[in-house]
Amino acid sequence: MGEPTGFLKWDRQTPKRRRIPVRVQDWKEVYEPFAIDELTRQAGRCMDCGIPFCNNGCPLGNLIPDWNDLVYRGNWQDAVERLHATNNFPEFTGRLCPAPCESACVLGINSDAVTIKQVEVEIIDRAWREGWVTPQVPSQKTGKRVVVIGSGPAGLAAAQQLTRVGHDVLVLERADRIGGLLRYGIPEFKMEKSNIERRVKQMTVEGTIFRTNATVGENVDIDVLLASHDAVVLACGATNWRDLNVQGRELNGIHQAMEYLPPANKVQQGDIAETNISAAGKHVVIIGGGDTGADCLGTAIRQGAASITQLEILPQPPVARAENNPWPQWSFVFRTSSAHEEGGERLYAVSTEKFVGDESGNVCGMIISDVKSENGTFVSIDGTQRELQADLVLLALGFVGPEKSSWLENLGVKFDERGNVARNDEYMSSVRGVFVAGDMGRGQSLIVWAIAEGRAAASGVDKYLMGETDLPAPVVSSAKSLN
Ligand SMILES: Cc1cc2nc3c(=O)[nH]c(=O)nc-3n(C[C@H](O)[C@H](O)[C@H](O)COP(=O)(O)OP(=O)(O)OC[C@H]3O[C@@H](n4cnc5c(N)ncnc54)[C@H](O)[C@@H]3O)c2cc1C
Ligand code: SF4
């Protein structure tokens, strides 16, 4: 431990966000640089616990006390090695993870947790700046061919691990660019896409081959892939969105979040001049109070919406942990993302009864009501019905699992009771040689889980191909759904 009394001397500090009027004029990341002296002190708050709960709280098993100590001592090069030992893409998690490690930090019992995520992102950003992140080209090739379908964080992590142990790895992606939801779901202001480009560059030099505009089941035949590869990794995500089938759903101007966010991202990348769904000048209602809803909010603000309301069916969470939500569990508390800080109103414990349209068939409003929970379901409270003005409605209601495309059905993989692709302890599906990783096997989740699953599936593939493996497999709970 760098500083035994650090946690007594220094309070938790996090980086400041750029001024709101300035940052909403651009799409760049919202955080200001964090002073290095302050970061060192923050790393010095770590108590180097005998049993580091942060390490258990992290799905990747990140070696958090080790790199906190190394940063405190100024040994950044060793810190990045420890970071990469468990995480292929710390620049993604360091920016985007909700940080279950911080919820589990022992300091959080009676104080503020260590700023683990900030230490993580500072280590990897510095490593990139200093040129310490270099391609790791395998010294020997195995002659085995693996195809990874899907280039989100799960597919990328699996591909990098498998390439580095000498397999020939091909990544197929149906979109026009690599990255999955990192690319087309998450807006630039949360993570600038140059972070994906430099990893793809690194992976390409290492030997991974990428093909975009390659949709399995359309212009790529799964039978041809099976015949020409020794193993297949399915990493197609859980992109089957939940809908809201109430009266008026067919009106113009009601869109899924994942119909709205991708074109907005394409504009920022310079791929298209303008989006086909813009919030400019509109009264926007976002249905769904989660991360996806917050991404729609920040995007709508930058597009110049006239007003924005975000609806959530659950009650507003408490400001501090409730008694039935003790440490080290994930803390269900009221959080204010950067987008929430920028504008919009949040309404809790409300439900949509119907959409209202004008004579041209465009949505112009919606009827909502307050709800209460009764016998495990939400019921409308009489007398609370009211109308909201709405000429753009965005549905951010989550995802119900992977798309059940005919190629997947024909492949013959089994699904679990939640509709995800079932797999055994080694991430193999019911079809021999076909593995599954990320949201496609787990259901809608987090980037950190996708990376953990990609690493674990790579370990399963390597063992299947070679009879044994040295690839580490993070312990990913509830992986097994196939007996
Ligand atoms: C708007 C939004 C914001 C989010 N924000 C966060 C956040 O801030 N932090 C966080 O931790 N998590 C966040 N998440 C969740 C996180 O992005 C996902 O859990 C994660 O990306 C899952 O990774 P994956 O690799 O399993 O799948 P995905 O990222 O979904 O990637 C799957 C890829 O497979 C491709 N594909 C699908 N079918 C085919 C096919 N037939 N042929 C070829 N390619 C195919 C898709 O085009 C896609 O690129 C967010 C999710 C959304 C929707
Ligand atoms: S739980 Fe918190 S204080 Fe303890 S080792 Fe992990 S980061 Fe440090």
Side-chain angles (χ1 to χ4, degrees), residues 16-32:
K16 289 196 172 47
R17 292 169 179 160
R18 292 191 289 133
R19 284 182 54 239
I20 293 170
V22 174
R23 73 184 194 232
V24 297
Q25 301 301 321
D26 63 47
W27 293 77
K28 296 199 174 79
E29 288 178 14
V30 298
Y31 288 100
E32 288 181 359

Side-chain angles (χ1 to χ4, degrees), residues 239-259:
T239 45
N240 194 6
W241 52 55
R242 188 173 284 118
D243 217 313
L244 182 62
N245 292 317
V246 297
Q247 189 183 327
R249 170 65 184 89
E250 73 291 347
L251 292 164
N252 300 322
I254 305 175
H255 302 277
Q256 285 286 345
M258 279 306 290
E259 292 172 319

Side-chain angles (χ1 to χ4, degrees), residues 67 80 86 92 130 215 224 296 331 426 461 477:
W67 35 263
V80 77
T86 56
F92 303 162
E130 300 277 355
T215 309
V224 173
C296 293
S331 57
E426 289 175 346
V461 171
S477 62

Side-chain angles (χ1 to χ4, degrees), residues 58-63 67 80-93 120 136 148 152-165 167 199 202-203 206 233-235 423 425-428 435-439 446-464 469-476 479:
C58 175
L60 285 159
N62 274 345
L63 304 166
W67 35 263
V80 77
E81 269 184 39
R82 300 303 276 158
L83 192 53
H84 271 146
T86 56
N87 186 354
N88 297 64
F89 313 121
E91 63 274 33
F92 303 162
T93 44
E120 175 181 36
Q136 294 177 27
V148 176
L156 291 178
Q160 186 165 61
Q161 293 293 92
L162 289 165
T163 302
R164 285 179 173 178
V165 291
H167 304 307
R199 274 296 172 188
Q202 179 200 36
M203 289 176 68
E206 288 172 353
V233 179
L234 304 174
R423 64 273 178 92
D425 276 343
E426 289 175 346
Y427 291 78
M428 201 194 295
F435 293 75
V436 61
D439 282 6
L446 295 172
I447 290 155
V448 66
W449 279 110
I451 299 173
E453 290 223 349
R455 291 171 63 86
S459 172
V461 171
D462 192 40
K463 189 168 169 202
Y464 167 75
T469 184
D470 288 332
L471 283 180
V475 182
V476 185

Side-chain angles (χ1 to χ4, degrees), residues 222-286:
I222 185 70
D223 290 330
V224 173
L225 292 179
L226 287 171
S228 53
H229 291 84
D230 299 292
V232 176
V233 179
L234 304 174
C236 300
T239 45
N240 194 6
W241 52 55
R242 188 173 284 118
D243 217 313
L244 182 62
N245 292 317
V246 297
Q247 189 183 327
R249 170 65 184 89
E250 73 291 347
L251 292 164
N252 300 322
I254 305 175
H255 302 277
Q256 285 286 345
M258 279 306 290
E259 292 172 319
Y260 172 67
L261 293 169
N265 271 322
K266 285 186 185 202
V267 172
Q268 296 320 309
Q269 289 166 181
D271 291 349
I272 54 174
E274 55 185 58
T275 170
N276 55 336
I277 312 173
S278 173
K282 295 196 175 138
H283 296 283
V284 181
V285 176
I286 301 162

Side-chain angles (χ1 to χ4, degrees), residues 93 95-98 149-156 172-175 177-182 184-187 190 214-218 235-239 257-258 261 291-293 295-296 399 403 405 407 437-441 443-451:
T93 44
R95 285 176 169 77
L96 300 166
C97 192
I149 307 174
S151 70
L156 291 178
L172 298 177
E173 170 54 57
R174 68 178 170 186
R177 286 181 183 260
I178 295 298
L181 289 172
L182 294 170
Y184 283 131
I186 289 157
K190 267 172 56 180
T215 309
V216 176
E218 286 182 20
C236 300
T239 45
M258 279 306 290
L261 293 169
D291 271 352
T292 304
D295 290 350
C296 293
F399 299 84
E403 294 164 31
S405 318
W407 69 269
D439 282 6
M440 197 174 190
Q444 186 198 11
S445 185
L446 295 172
I447 290 155
V448 66
W449 279 110
I451 299 173

Side-chain angles (χ1 to χ4, degrees), residues 72 97 113-114 192-193 216 218 260 300 347 353 365 373 400 410 437 443:
Y72 185 74
C97 192
V114 174
E192 289 169 19
K193 305 305 165 200
V216 176
E218 286 182 20
Y260 172 67
L347 299 183
E353 300 210 338
S373 171
V400 293
N410 294 340

Side-chain angles (χ1 to χ4, degrees), residues 328-351:
Q329 290 175 357
W330 169 250
S331 57
F332 290 97
V333 294
F334 183 73
R335 290 184 165 83
T336 298
S337 72
S338 67
H340 291 125
E341 216 179 49
E342 291 162 3
E345 187 188 1
R346 282 188 270 184
L347 299 183
Y348 286 91
V350 290
S351 170

